[in-house]
Each structure stands twice: as structure tokens, then as C-alpha cells.
Amino acid sequence: MSVEKNIARLRRAKSTRAHIRNLGVARLSVLRTGQHLYAQVFSSDGSTVIASASTLQADVKDGLKSNKNKDAAAKVGRVIAEKARAAGIEAVAFDRSGYRYHGRIKALADAAREGGLKF
């Protein structure tokens, strides 16, 4: 990824996070790398991580052919929804971190919705 693309992505993420901060709800944040996908649910003030899931975790890796495809993203979405609901979180704001709502990001969001989270 070129430096310019990353700067543009971070600029988009900054404006989204400012809007989410005004909403005052928990935030489901996603980080996408070439090899893995990470998801975290932050409290409404952003100070604590309530739940987290990634393709590095053994329970997520089980049965996956690859860590970097839509199937892996969907599994991360299901796990993060399960952990967030166990912590008492029903509704979140989806912070896609400036990534396009497409591919792995969309697969994660759809699986989290199916898991019971409301965006």
C-alpha cells in the first residue's frame, strides 16, 4: 500500500470516528492487513475494549482454509458479535477504518448483523 493511499484511508477514518463519537454508542472497529483481520468493540467513550476477535485466535482459525478471505472475515464477525452480546452490547456503530464497504469488510459486517448486533 502506498503512503498516499494510507493517508487518505486514515483521513476518511478520522471523520467517521468523529461522527461516531457524537453518537455516544459502542464502536465496532475493524483493521485489515494483508494476512489477517482484526475486530474490536470499544466502549462509547473509547477508553476500554469490551470484546475482540481476529484471525489469529485458535477458535477462529479452526476449519478455515485461509486467514485472508471472506469466509475468515465472516467467522470473525460471528465471533465478535457473540462476545459483544455476552458483554451486554446489543447496538454498535460500525467503524470500517476508512476501508471500502466491500469484500472482507462487508462479509464481517453482515456476519456480525446475523450474530445479533444492530448497526
Side-chain angles (χ1 to χ4, degrees):
M1 179 186 290
S2 70
V3 175
E4 293 81 16
K5 279 179 78 171
N6 199 40
I7 289 171
R9 180 186 71 80
L10 293 173
R11 177 183 45 77
R12 288 190 301 269
K14 189 176 175 183
S15 65
T16 301
R17 288 181 184 141
H19 182 253
I20 290 172
R21 204 171 298 117
N22 290 337
L23 294 175
V25 295
R27 173 170 62 105
L28 171 59
S29 182
V30 177
L31 174 67
R32 189 187 76 187
T33 67
Q35 296 295 318
H36 295 285
L37 194 65
Y38 307 86
Q40 293 181 316
V41 176
F42 291 96
S43 61
S44 58
D45 61 357
S47 63
T48 57
V49 176
I50 298 167
S52 66
S54 75
T55 53
L56 290 171
Q57 294 173 329
D59 59 335
V60 176
K61 272 192 219 181
D62 290 341
L64 290 178
K65 196 164 67 172
S66 172
N67 289 329
K68 50 188 176 180
N69 58 15
K70 288 184 191 177
D71 295 334
K75 193 155 186 189
V76 169
R78 285 191 295 273
V79 169
I80 195 72
E82 181 182 300
K83 288 183 177 182
R85 287 178 53 92
I89 302 295
E90 296 289 326
V92 295
F94 186 55
D95 176 8
R96 55 191 174 83
S97 301
Y99 301 115
R100 287 174 51 207
Y101 188 78
H102 177 271
R104 292 189 286 163
I105 302 297
K106 185 173 189 253
L108 185 143
D110 291 344
R113 279 192 191 100
E114 288 170 12
L117 285 181
K118 292 178 179 47
F119 289 26

